[in-house]
Amino acid sequence: MFSSISKYSPKKLLASYLSKSLAEFFCVDPERVETNLLQDARVVLNDIEIKEQQCGGILVSGSVQKIEFSWTWDTVSLISNVNLTIQGVVIHVNFVKDDESNVVSTTSSSSLVKEPTANDDDETKEAPDWKAKYLQQIIDNLTLMVTDVTIAIHIDETSQIILQGKDMELRTLTTKHSLLQNISLA
């Protein structure tokens, strides 16, 4: 057991975990993940493929050049200045005919949505969840920056609509438990 784990460094373990965690929506090569949690406090995913997803007669696919998640370690709040930067997004939206609709199947519910269970009430009565505390700190300090987005809507083989976006920024206001409320478009 330990011989199989010993060949992985903490960076490789994290890269493998991220790749598996994002596998439902993205193809992430663990070799293309850069991490340095102590010095830079950042995780970078390079050259990510968006997996084809179909909903009804719409097929969506694409790629992302780079996703960078970075933060600053802080002695008071532990985590501050959280940035999620997404660069070079290309999304293709295709309309498929009914006879092509069985090419790609999708699930009706996303793995991002947790279905409530009877045990959920019991869990909330126990000790506070430390993961929820850190996640709230991340959200309270988050700045989302999206640069160079292209969305191509393919009407048919010859017609398409191209939408482009550059330098979009969403920031969390400094109020406690606030949502992303400050929107800036350049």
Side-chain angles (χ1 to χ4, degrees), residues 98-153:
D98 290 336
D99 58 336
E100 298 174 14
S101 64
N102 59 4
V103 173
V104 177
S105 62
T106 60
T107 57
S108 60
S109 64
S110 171
S111 65
L112 298 177
V113 178
K114 182 182 174 187
E115 295 293 327
T117 62
N119 294 338
D120 286 349
D121 291 334
D122 296 337
E123 291 174 10
T124 57
K125 293 177 184 175
E126 293 179 11
D129 185 11
W130 63 271
K131 292 180 275 186
K133 177 183 173 185
Y134 289 116
L135 183 58
Q136 189 62 51
Q137 284 182 336
I138 290 169
I139 291 170
D140 287 346
N141 292 285
L142 181 67
T143 299
L144 172 65
M145 295 170 280
V146 182
T147 60
D148 300 326
V149 177
T150 301
I151 301 172
I153 303 171

Side-chain angles (χ1 to χ4, degrees), residues 142-146 166-173 179-186:
L142 181 67
T143 299
L144 172 65
M145 295 170 280
V146 182
K166 296 198 180 284
D167 302 328
M168 295 170 273
E169 186 173 299
L170 299 170
R171 292 183 186 212
T172 304
L173 297 178
L179 299 174
L180 296 176
Q181 298 174 7
N182 185 7
I183 300 174
S184 168
L185 300 173

Side-chain angles (χ1 to χ4, degrees), residues 31-88:
E31 297 296 320
R32 306 282 304 159
V33 176
E34 301 172 20
T35 61
N36 194 339
L37 302 180
L38 296 178
Q39 293 175 352
D40 295 354
R42 69 186 188 110
V43 176
V44 180
L45 309 174
N46 292 300
D47 302 322
I48 304 125
E49 179 186 339
I50 300 171
K51 285 190 174 181
E52 285 188 346
Q53 298 285 320
Q54 184 171 332
C55 181
I58 298 174
L59 180 66
V60 178
S61 63
S63 63
V64 180
Q65 181 182 10
K66 180 179 180 180
I67 298 175
E68 181 173 346
F69 182 68
S70 63
W71 63 95
T72 304
W73 293 113
D74 188 325
T75 57
V76 176
S77 64
L78 298 179
I79 299 172
S80 63
N81 298 328
V82 180
N83 292 306
L84 178 60
T85 305
I86 303 171
Q87 298 174 343

